Amino acid sequence: MNIPELLTDLTIHYNALLRHYASQLSLTAPQAFHLLAILTDGISMSVLAHKLGLDNSTLTRNIQKLEKLELVLRKQDNFDKRIFRVHLTKKGRVIVEEFENLLLDLNYSMLKHIDLDDQENIPEMLEKLVWAMDCIREK
């Protein structure tokens, strides 16, 4: 297999697993992605939209649904009143913590199938891939 095929397969398999774990928490996969992308101290709507690859109107609708579930709230920025920041609620933080624990378990399960020598290179290679993708997206 070539790199594009491998990345596609990786994406498909990982997304399927994420959907499975999200459903265990009564979330859709997109809702889980949104929650996981929100920083501890909040994130501006425009930065979140860019991070998720969504237009602002789509993100606004998605955030409104998460607000109805009481998982997030929007607040005006303290310094620039034109900017709205999204924050996790207490309930949202609990859900994210549960989801991250499920993902840790998943990662440990996957690593059982990979030799220890190969495991050492995974974090560095993934960081390089993420960096390269960031560079491409910023063009």
Side-chain angles (χ1 to χ4, degrees), residues 88-120:
L88 294 171
T89 62
K90 184 177 180 180
K91 183 178 174 183
R93 286 191 300 275
V94 167
I95 292 286
V96 167
E97 186 177 323
E98 288 176 27
F99 198 78
E100 287 174 340
N101 287 333
L102 289 170
L103 293 179
L104 279 174
D105 290 343
L106 168 63
N107 292 335
Y108 290 134
S109 297
M110 288 188 299
L111 290 175
K112 289 178 188 176
H113 302 282
I114 300 172
D115 293 333
L116 283 175
D117 290 336
D118 292 333
Q119 286 182 29
E120 291 179 17

PDB file of all heavy atoms in Angstrom, residues 88-120:
ATOM      1  N   LEU A  88     -16.133  24.700  27.595  1.00  0.00           N
ATOM      2  CA  LEU A  88     -16.812  23.504  28.081  1.00  0.00           C
ATOM      3  C   LEU A  88     -17.485  23.825  29.413  1.00  0.00           C
ATOM      4  O   LEU A  88     -16.919  24.538  30.239  1.00  0.00           O
ATOM      5  CB  LEU A  88     -15.810  22.368  28.301  1.00  0.00           C
ATOM      6  CG  LEU A  88     -15.122  21.800  27.073  1.00  0.00           C
ATOM      7  CD1 LEU A  88     -13.995  20.850  27.497  1.00  0.00           C
ATOM      8  CD2 LEU A  88     -16.122  21.080  26.186  1.00  0.00           C
ATOM      9  N   THR A  89     -18.676  23.300  29.615  1.00  0.00           N
ATOM     10  CA  THR A  89     -19.326  23.389  30.921  1.00  0.00           C
ATOM     11  C   THR A  89     -18.743  22.283  31.801  1.00  0.00           C
ATOM     12  O   THR A  89     -17.945  21.450  31.336  1.00  0.00           O
ATOM     13  CB  THR A  89     -20.840  23.175  30.786  1.00  0.00           C
ATOM     14  OG1 THR A  89     -21.055  21.853  30.276  1.00  0.00           O
ATOM     15  CG2 THR A  89     -21.482  24.224  29.880  1.00  0.00           C
ATOM     16  N   LYS A  90     -19.149  22.247  33.034  1.00  0.00           N
ATOM     17  CA  LYS A  90     -18.704  21.161  33.924  1.00  0.00           C
ATOM     18  C   LYS A  90     -19.118  19.819  33.337  1.00  0.00           C
ATOM     19  O   LYS A  90     -18.318  18.877  33.297  1.00  0.00           O
ATOM     20  CB  LYS A  90     -19.301  21.357  35.325  1.00  0.00           C
ATOM     21  CG  LYS A  90     -18.826  20.339  36.319  1.00  0.00           C
ATOM     22  CD  LYS A  90     -19.376  20.600  37.711  1.00  0.00           C
ATOM     23  CE  LYS A  90     -18.873  19.541  38.666  1.00  0.00           C
ATOM     24  NZ  LYS A  90     -19.376  19.731  40.024  1.00  0.00           N
ATOM     25  N   LYS A  91     -20.347  19.741  32.866  1.00  0.00           N
ATOM     26  CA  LYS A  91     -20.842  18.508  32.242  1.00  0.00           C
ATOM     27  C   LYS A  91     -20.013  18.170  31.002  1.00  0.00           C
ATOM     28  O   LYS A  91     -19.674  17.010  30.765  1.00  0.00           O
ATOM     29  CB  LYS A  91     -22.320  18.689  31.871  1.00  0.00           C
ATOM     30  CG  LYS A  91     -22.990  17.486  31.283  1.00  0.00           C
ATOM     31  CD  LYS A  91     -24.468  17.777  30.997  1.00  0.00           C
ATOM     32  CE  LYS A  91     -25.137  16.634  30.278  1.00  0.00           C
ATOM     33  NZ  LYS A  91     -26.538  16.948  29.951  1.00  0.00           N
ATOM     34  N   GLY A  92     -19.664  19.178  30.229  1.00  0.00           N
ATOM     35  CA  GLY A  92     -18.848  18.983  29.040  1.00  0.00           C
ATOM     36  C   GLY A  92     -17.455  18.476  29.379  1.00  0.00           C
ATOM     37  O   GLY A  92     -16.914  17.594  28.706  1.00  0.00           O
ATOM     38  N   ARG A  93     -16.870  19.018  30.447  1.00  0.00           N
ATOM     39  CA  ARG A  93     -15.542  18.577  30.870  1.00  0.00           C
ATOM     40  C   ARG A  93     -15.567  17.116  31.315  1.00  0.00           C
ATOM     41  O   ARG A  93     -14.640  16.357  31.029  1.00  0.00           O
ATOM     42  CB  ARG A  93     -15.000  19.470  31.988  1.00  0.00           C
ATOM     43  CG  ARG A  93     -14.543  20.836  31.478  1.00  0.00           C
ATOM     44  CD  ARG A  93     -13.768  21.620  32.539  1.00  0.00           C
ATOM     45  NE  ARG A  93     -14.531  21.888  33.750  1.00  0.00           N
ATOM     46  CZ  ARG A  93     -15.354  22.914  33.914  1.00  0.00           C
ATOM     47  NH1 ARG A  93     -15.526  23.793  32.951  1.00  0.00           N
ATOM     48  NH2 ARG A  93     -15.996  23.081  35.059  1.00  0.00           N
ATOM     49  N   VAL A  94     -16.636  16.717  31.983  1.00  0.00           N
ATOM     50  CA  VAL A  94     -16.769  15.322  32.423  1.00  0.00           C
ATOM     51  C   VAL A  94     -16.852  14.403  31.201  1.00  0.00           C
ATOM     52  O   VAL A  94     -16.187  13.362  31.141  1.00  0.00           O
ATOM     53  CB  VAL A  94     -18.004  15.146  33.339  1.00  0.00           C
ATOM     54  CG1 VAL A  94     -18.340  13.683  33.559  1.00  0.00           C
ATOM     55  CG2 VAL A  94     -17.774  15.856  34.671  1.00  0.00           C
ATOM     56  N   ILE A  95     -17.655  14.795  30.214  1.00  0.00           N
ATOM     57  CA  ILE A  95     -17.800  13.995  28.991  1.00  0.00           C
ATOM     58  C   ILE A  95     -16.461  13.887  28.262  1.00  0.00           C
ATOM     59  O   ILE A  95     -16.071  12.806  27.814  1.00  0.00           O
ATOM     60  CB  ILE A  95     -18.871  14.598  28.056  1.00  0.00           C
ATOM     61  CG1 ILE A  95     -20.267  14.464  28.666  1.00  0.00           C
ATOM     62  CG2 ILE A  95     -18.819  13.987  26.667  1.00  0.00           C
ATOM     63  CD1 ILE A  95     -20.843  13.071  28.639  1.00  0.00           C
ATOM     64  N   VAL A  96     -15.743  14.996  28.148  1.00  0.00           N
ATOM     65  CA  VAL A  96     -14.440  14.984  27.463  1.00  0.00           C
ATOM     66  C   VAL A  96     -13.467  14.078  28.205  1.00  0.00           C
ATOM     67  O   VAL A  96     -12.739  13.291  27.592  1.00  0.00           O
ATOM     68  CB  VAL A  96     -13.875  16.418  27.314  1.00  0.00           C
ATOM     69  CG1 VAL A  96     -12.407  16.399  26.910  1.00  0.00           C
ATOM     70  CG2 VAL A  96     -14.696  17.192  26.294  1.00  0.00           C
ATOM     71  N   GLU A  97     -13.473  14.157  29.525  1.00  0.00           N
ATOM     72  CA  GLU A  97     -12.586  13.296  30.313  1.00  0.00           C
ATOM     73  C   GLU A  97     -12.923  11.822  30.091  1.00  0.00           C
ATOM     74  O   GLU A  97     -12.027  10.991  29.904  1.00  0.00           O
ATOM     75  CB  GLU A  97     -12.683  13.651  31.793  1.00  0.00           C
ATOM     76  CG  GLU A  97     -11.694  12.904  32.660  1.00  0.00           C
ATOM     77  CD  GLU A  97     -11.744  13.327  34.123  1.00  0.00           C
ATOM     78  OE1 GLU A  97     -11.949  14.518  34.390  1.00  0.00           O
ATOM     79  OE2 GLU A  97     -11.578  12.450  34.980  1.00  0.00           O
ATOM     80  N   GLU A  98     -14.207  11.496  30.089  1.00  0.00           N
ATOM     81  CA  GLU A  98     -14.622  10.106  29.839  1.00  0.00           C
ATOM     82  C   GLU A  98     -14.204   9.668  28.440  1.00  0.00           C
ATOM     83  O   GLU A  98     -13.708   8.550  28.253  1.00  0.00           O
ATOM     84  CB  GLU A  98     -16.141   9.966  29.998  1.00  0.00           C
ATOM     85  CG  GLU A  98     -16.632  10.056  31.420  1.00  0.00           C
ATOM     86  CD  GLU A  98     -18.156  10.010  31.516  1.00  0.00           C
ATOM     87  OE1 GLU A  98     -18.804   9.429  30.633  1.00  0.00           O
ATOM     88  OE2 GLU A  98     -18.680  10.558  32.498  1.00  0.00           O
ATOM     89  N   PHE A  99     -14.388  10.543  27.459  1.00  0.00           N
ATOM     90  CA  PHE A  99     -14.036  10.221  26.084  1.00  0.00           C
ATOM     91  C   PHE A  99     -12.520  10.027  25.953  1.00  0.00           C
ATOM     92  O   PHE A  99     -12.064   9.070  25.313  1.00  0.00           O
ATOM     93  CB  PHE A  99     -14.525  11.325  25.144  1.00  0.00           C
ATOM     94  CG  PHE A  99     -14.599  10.884  23.709  1.00  0.00           C
ATOM     95  CD1 PHE A  99     -15.648  10.099  23.268  1.00  0.00           C
ATOM     96  CD2 PHE A  99     -13.618  11.245  22.809  1.00  0.00           C
ATOM     97  CE1 PHE A  99     -15.721   9.680  21.955  1.00  0.00           C
ATOM     98  CE2 PHE A  99     -13.680  10.836  21.492  1.00  0.00           C
ATOM     99  CZ  PHE A  99     -14.741  10.037  21.060  1.00  0.00           C
ATOM    100  N   GLU A 100     -11.750  10.912  26.563  1.00  0.00           N
ATOM    101  CA  GLU A 100     -10.296  10.782  26.502  1.00  0.00           C
ATOM    102  C   GLU A 100      -9.824   9.481  27.160  1.00  0.00           C
ATOM    103  O   GLU A 100      -8.877   8.851  26.684  1.00  0.00           O
ATOM    104  CB  GLU A 100      -9.617  11.992  27.143  1.00  0.00           C
ATOM    105  CG  GLU A 100      -9.730  13.238  26.276  1.00  0.00           C
ATOM    106  CD  GLU A 100      -9.198  14.499  26.929  1.00  0.00           C
ATOM    107  OE1 GLU A 100      -9.077  14.534  28.186  1.00  0.00           O
ATOM    108  OE2 GLU A 100      -8.925  15.460  26.187  1.00  0.00           O
ATOM    109  N   ASN A 101     -10.482   9.061  28.243  1.00  0.00           N
ATOM    110  CA  ASN A 101     -10.138   7.788  28.874  1.00  0.00           C
ATOM    111  C   ASN A 101     -10.442   6.615  27.949  1.00  0.00           C
ATOM    112  O   ASN A 101      -9.661   5.658  27.875  1.00  0.00           O
ATOM    113  CB  ASN A 101     -10.864   7.625  30.214  1.00  0.00           C
ATOM    114  CG  ASN A 101     -10.285   8.522  31.285  1.00  0.00           C
ATOM    115  OD1 ASN A 101      -9.116   8.894  31.247  1.00  0.00           O
ATOM    116  ND2 ASN A 101     -11.109   8.897  32.251  1.00  0.00           N
ATOM    117  N   LEU A 102     -11.572   6.680  27.246  1.00  0.00           N
ATOM    118  CA  LEU A 102     -11.887   5.634  26.262  1.00  0.00           C
ATOM    119  C   LEU A 102     -10.829   5.594  25.159  1.00  0.00           C
ATOM    120  O   LEU A 102     -10.411   4.515  24.722  1.00  0.00           O
ATOM    121  CB  LEU A 102     -13.275   5.865  25.653  1.00  0.00           C
ATOM    122  CG  LEU A 102     -14.473   5.621  26.570  1.00  0.00           C
ATOM    123  CD1 LEU A 102     -15.754   6.118  25.921  1.00  0.00           C
ATOM    124  CD2 LEU A 102     -14.588   4.143  26.924  1.00  0.00           C
ATOM    125  N   LEU A 103     -10.385   6.768  24.711  1.00  0.00           N
ATOM    126  CA  LEU A 103      -9.364   6.829  23.661  1.00  0.00           C
ATOM    127  C   LEU A 103      -8.018   6.304  24.165  1.00  0.00           C
ATOM    128  O   LEU A 103      -7.289   5.650  23.410  1.00  0.00           O
ATOM    129  CB  LEU A 103      -9.217   8.251  23.130  1.00  0.00           C
ATOM    130  CG  LEU A 103     -10.422   8.798  22.360  1.00  0.00           C
ATOM    131  CD1 LEU A 103     -10.160  10.234  21.917  1.00  0.00           C
ATOM    132  CD2 LEU A 103     -10.762   7.914  21.173  1.00  0.00           C
ATOM    133  N   LEU A 104      -7.685   6.563  25.414  1.00  0.00           N
ATOM    134  CA  LEU A 104      -6.455   6.005  25.990  1.00  0.00           C
ATOM    135  C   LEU A 104      -6.516   4.488  26.004  1.00  0.00           C
ATOM    136  O   LEU A 104      -5.544   3.811  25.639  1.00  0.00           O
ATOM    137  CB  LEU A 104      -6.223   6.533  27.409  1.00  0.00           C
ATOM    138  CG  LEU A 104      -5.595   7.897  27.535  1.00  0.00           C
ATOM    139  CD1 LEU A 104      -5.559   8.347  28.997  1.00  0.00           C
ATOM    140  CD2 LEU A 104      -4.188   7.902  26.959  1.00  0.00           C
ATOM    141  N   ASP A 105      -7.657   3.944  26.422  1.00  0.00           N
ATOM    142  CA  ASP A 105      -7.831   2.488  26.408  1.00  0.00           C
ATOM    143  C   ASP A 105      -7.695   1.942  24.991  1.00  0.00           C
ATOM    144  O   ASP A 105      -7.073   0.902  24.768  1.00  0.00           O
ATOM    145  CB  ASP A 105      -9.190   2.091  26.989  1.00  0.00           C
ATOM    146  CG  ASP A 105      -9.285   2.332  28.494  1.00  0.00           C
ATOM    147  OD1 ASP A 105      -8.233   2.496  29.141  1.00  0.00           O
ATOM    148  OD2 ASP A 105     -10.417   2.351  29.011  1.00  0.00           O
ATOM    149  N   LEU A 106      -8.295   2.642  24.028  1.00  0.00           N
ATOM    150  CA  LEU A 106      -8.185   2.234  22.628  1.00  0.00           C
ATOM    151  C   LEU A 106      -6.720   2.239  22.188  1.00  0.00           C
ATOM    152  O   LEU A 106      -6.249   1.286  21.561  1.00  0.00           O
ATOM    153  CB  LEU A 106      -8.999   3.185  21.737  1.00  0.00           C
ATOM    154  CG  LEU A 106      -8.769   3.081  20.233  1.00  0.00           C
ATOM    155  CD1 LEU A 106      -9.187   1.714  19.718  1.00  0.00           C
ATOM    156  CD2 LEU A 106      -9.512   4.190  19.505  1.00  0.00           C
ATOM    157  N   ASN A 107      -5.997   3.285  22.527  1.00  0.00           N
ATOM    158  CA  ASN A 107      -4.595   3.372  22.122  1.00  0.00           C
ATOM    159  C   ASN A 107      -3.768   2.254  22.749  1.00  0.00           C
ATOM    160  O   ASN A 107      -2.926   1.657  22.078  1.00  0.00           O
ATOM    161  CB  ASN A 107      -4.021   4.742  22.459  1.00  0.00           C
ATOM    162  CG  ASN A 107      -4.643   5.828  21.603  1.00  0.00           C
ATOM    163  OD1 ASN A 107      -5.124   5.570  20.501  1.00  0.00           O
ATOM    164  ND2 ASN A 107      -4.644   7.033  22.106  1.00  0.00           N
ATOM    165  N   TYR A 108      -4.014   1.945  24.015  1.00  0.00           N
ATOM    166  CA  TYR A 108      -3.289   0.838  24.653  1.00  0.00           C
ATOM    167  C   TYR A 108      -3.629  -0.479  23.958  1.00  0.00           C
ATOM    168  O   TYR A 108      -2.756  -1.320  23.750  1.00  0.00           O
ATOM    169  CB  TYR A 108      -3.615   0.751  26.144  1.00  0.00           C
ATOM    170  CG  TYR A 108      -3.058   1.889  26.957  1.00  0.00           C
ATOM    171  CD1 TYR A 108      -3.840   2.555  27.890  1.00  0.00           C
ATOM    172  CD2 TYR A 108      -1.738   2.326  26.802  1.00  0.00           C
ATOM    173  CE1 TYR A 108      -3.334   3.611  28.634  1.00  0.00           C
ATOM    174  CE2 TYR A 108      -1.226   3.379  27.539  1.00  0.00           C
ATOM    175  CZ  TYR A 108      -2.033   4.013  28.450  1.00  0.00           C
ATOM    176  OH  TYR A 108      -1.525   5.055  29.193  1.00  0.00           O
ATOM    177  N   SER A 109      -4.880  -0.661  23.590  1.00  0.00           N
ATOM    178  CA  SER A 109      -5.287  -1.877  22.882  1.00  0.00           C
ATOM    179  C   SER A 109      -4.590  -1.997  21.536  1.00  0.00           C
ATOM    180  O   SER A 109      -4.174  -3.088  21.141  1.00  0.00           O
ATOM    181  CB  SER A 109      -6.806  -1.897  22.670  1.00  0.00           C
ATOM    182  OG  SER A 109      -7.471  -1.932  23.897  1.00  0.00           O
ATOM    183  N   MET A 110      -4.461  -0.885  20.827  1.00  0.00           N
ATOM    184  CA  MET A 110      -3.792  -0.915  19.524  1.00  0.00           C
ATOM    185  C   MET A 110      -2.301  -1.203  19.686  1.00  0.00           C
ATOM    186  O   MET A 110      -1.722  -1.961  18.903  1.00  0.00           O
ATOM    187  CB  MET A 110      -3.987   0.418  18.789  1.00  0.00           C
ATOM    188  CG  MET A 110      -5.390   0.631  18.280  1.00  0.00           C
ATOM    189  SD  MET A 110      -5.571   2.084  17.223  1.00  0.00           S
ATOM    190  CE  MET A 110      -5.115   3.428  18.290  1.00  0.00           C
ATOM    191  N   LEU A 111      -1.689  -0.615  20.699  1.00  0.00           N
ATOM    192  CA  LEU A 111      -0.255  -0.782  20.880  1.00  0.00           C
ATOM    193  C   LEU A 111       0.130  -2.219  21.218  1.00  0.00           C
ATOM    194  O   LEU A 111       1.265  -2.628  20.962  1.00  0.00           O
ATOM    195  CB  LEU A 111       0.264   0.177  21.952  1.00  0.00           C
ATOM    196  CG  LEU A 111       0.266   1.654  21.558  1.00  0.00           C
ATOM    197  CD1 LEU A 111       0.687   2.525  22.736  1.00  0.00           C
ATOM    198  CD2 LEU A 111       1.168   1.901  20.357  1.00  0.00           C
ATOM    199  N   LYS A 112      -0.792  -2.985  21.749  1.00  0.00           N
ATOM    200  CA  LYS A 112      -0.517  -4.396  22.050  1.00  0.00           C
ATOM    201  C   LYS A 112      -0.141  -5.173  20.788  1.00  0.00           C
ATOM    202  O   LYS A 112       0.522  -6.197  20.867  1.00  0.00           O
ATOM    203  CB  LYS A 112      -1.740  -5.055  22.692  1.00  0.00           C
ATOM    204  CG  LYS A 112      -2.033  -4.610  24.089  1.00  0.00           C
ATOM    205  CD  LYS A 112      -3.284  -5.299  24.606  1.00  0.00           C
ATOM    206  CE  LYS A 112      -3.713  -4.727  25.928  1.00  0.00           C
ATOM    207  NZ  LYS A 112      -4.985  -5.316  26.389  1.00  0.00           N
ATOM    208  N   HIS A 113      -0.561  -4.666  19.640  1.00  0.00           N
ATOM    209  CA  HIS A 113      -0.321  -5.353  18.371  1.00  0.00           C
ATOM    210  C   HIS A 113       0.929  -4.844  17.657  1.00  0.00           C
ATOM    211  O   HIS A 113       1.208  -5.258  16.530  1.00  0.00           O
ATOM    212  CB  HIS A 113      -1.537  -5.201  17.455  1.00  0.00           C
ATOM    213  CG  HIS A 113      -2.791  -5.730  18.057  1.00  0.00           C
ATOM    214  ND1 HIS A 113      -3.090  -7.075  18.102  1.00  0.00           N
ATOM    215  CD2 HIS A 113      -3.828  -5.104  18.673  1.00  0.00           C
ATOM    216  CE1 HIS A 113      -4.241  -7.256  18.697  1.00  0.00           C
ATOM    217  NE2 HIS A 113      -4.724  -6.075  19.063  1.00  0.00           N
ATOM    218  N   ILE A 114       1.672  -3.960  18.306  1.00  0.00           N
ATOM    219  CA  ILE A 114       2.837  -3.340  17.675  1.00  0.00           C
ATOM    220  C   ILE A 114       4.070  -3.614  18.535  1.00  0.00           C
ATOM    221  O   ILE A 114       4.032  -3.446  19.758  1.00  0.00           O
ATOM    222  CB  ILE A 114       2.615  -1.821  17.497  1.00  0.00           C
ATOM    223  CG1 ILE A 114       1.383  -1.574  16.617  1.00  0.00           C
ATOM    224  CG2 ILE A 114       3.855  -1.147  16.910  1.00  0.00           C
ATOM    225  CD1 ILE A 114       0.960  -0.125  16.532  1.00  0.00           C
ATOM    226  N   ASP A 115       5.153  -4.020  17.902  1.00  0.00           N
ATOM    227  CA  ASP A 115       6.403  -4.290  18.618  1.00  0.00           C
ATOM    228  C   ASP A 115       6.852  -3.070  19.407  1.00  0.00           C
ATOM    229  O   ASP A 115       6.664  -1.931  18.970  1.00  0.00           O
ATOM    230  CB  ASP A 115       7.524  -4.664  17.639  1.00  0.00           C
ATOM    231  CG  ASP A 115       7.283  -5.990  16.944  1.00  0.00           C
ATOM    232  OD1 ASP A 115       6.587  -6.839  17.520  1.00  0.00           O
ATOM    233  OD2 ASP A 115       7.803  -6.158  15.827  1.00  0.00           O
ATOM    234  N   LEU A 116       7.490  -3.314  20.550  1.00  0.00           N
ATOM    235  CA  LEU A 116       7.965  -2.223  21.404  1.00  0.00           C
ATOM    236  C   LEU A 116       8.918  -1.288  20.670  1.00  0.00           C
ATOM    237  O   LEU A 116       8.858  -0.071  20.846  1.00  0.00           O
ATOM    238  CB  LEU A 116       8.649  -2.780  22.655  1.00  0.00           C
ATOM    239  CG  LEU A 116       7.729  -3.310  23.749  1.00  0.00           C
ATOM    240  CD1 LEU A 116       8.538  -3.943  24.871  1.00  0.00           C
ATOM    241  CD2 LEU A 116       6.852  -2.198  24.297  1.00  0.00           C
ATOM    242  N   ASP A 117       9.798  -1.832  19.849  1.00  0.00           N
ATOM    243  CA  ASP A 117      10.737  -0.984  19.106  1.00  0.00           C
ATOM    244  C   ASP A 117       9.993  -0.025  18.182  1.00  0.00           C
ATOM    245  O   ASP A 117      10.367   1.146  18.056  1.00  0.00           O
ATOM    246  CB  ASP A 117      11.711  -1.834  18.290  1.00  0.00           C
ATOM    247  CG  ASP A 117      12.699  -2.585  19.175  1.00  0.00           C
ATOM    248  OD1 ASP A 117      12.935  -2.132  20.318  1.00  0.00           O
ATOM    249  OD2 ASP A 117      13.244  -3.612  18.719  1.00  0.00           O
ATOM    250  N   ASP A 118       8.947  -0.510  17.533  1.00  0.00           N
ATOM    251  CA  ASP A 118       8.161   0.338  16.631  1.00  0.00           C
ATOM    252  C   ASP A 118       7.334   1.365  17.398  1.00  0.00           C
ATOM    253  O   ASP A 118       7.117   2.476  16.918  1.00  0.00           O
ATOM    254  CB  ASP A 118       7.243  -0.515  15.754  1.00  0.00           C
ATOM    255  CG  ASP A 118       8.013  -1.358  14.750  1.00  0.00           C
ATOM    256  OD1 ASP A 118       9.132  -0.954  14.372  1.00  0.00           O
ATOM    257  OD2 ASP A 118       7.492  -2.416  14.352  1.00  0.00           O
ATOM    258  N   GLN A 119       6.875   0.994  18.600  1.00  0.00           N
ATOM    259  CA  GLN A 119       6.064   1.908  19.404  1.00  0.00           C
ATOM    260  C   GLN A 119       6.810   3.194  19.734  1.00  0.00           C
ATOM    261  O   GLN A 119       6.213   4.264  19.812  1.00  0.00           O
ATOM    262  CB  GLN A 119       5.638   1.239  20.719  1.00  0.00           C
ATOM    263  CG  GLN A 119       4.571   0.204  20.577  1.00  0.00           C
ATOM    264  CD  GLN A 119       4.170  -0.381  21.922  1.00  0.00           C
ATOM    265  OE1 GLN A 119       4.259   0.296  22.949  1.00  0.00           O
ATOM    266  NE2 GLN A 119       3.735  -1.620  21.914  1.00  0.00           N
ATOM    267  N   GLU A 120       8.118   3.098  19.910  1.00  0.00           N
ATOM    268  CA  GLU A 120       8.914   4.268  20.288  1.00  0.00           C
ATOM    269  C   GLU A 120       8.865   5.355  19.225  1.00  0.00           C
ATOM    270  O   GLU A 120       8.974   6.538  19.547  1.00  0.00           O
ATOM    271  CB  GLU A 120      10.366   3.858  20.539  1.00  0.00           C
ATOM    272  CG  GLU A 120      10.549   3.020  21.783  1.00  0.00           C
ATOM    273  CD  GLU A 120      12.000   2.602  21.994  1.00  0.00           C
ATOM    274  OE1 GLU A 120      12.899   3.207  21.372  1.00  0.00           O
ATOM    275  OE2 GLU A 120      12.223   1.678  22.791  1.00  0.00           O
TER     276      GLU A 120
END
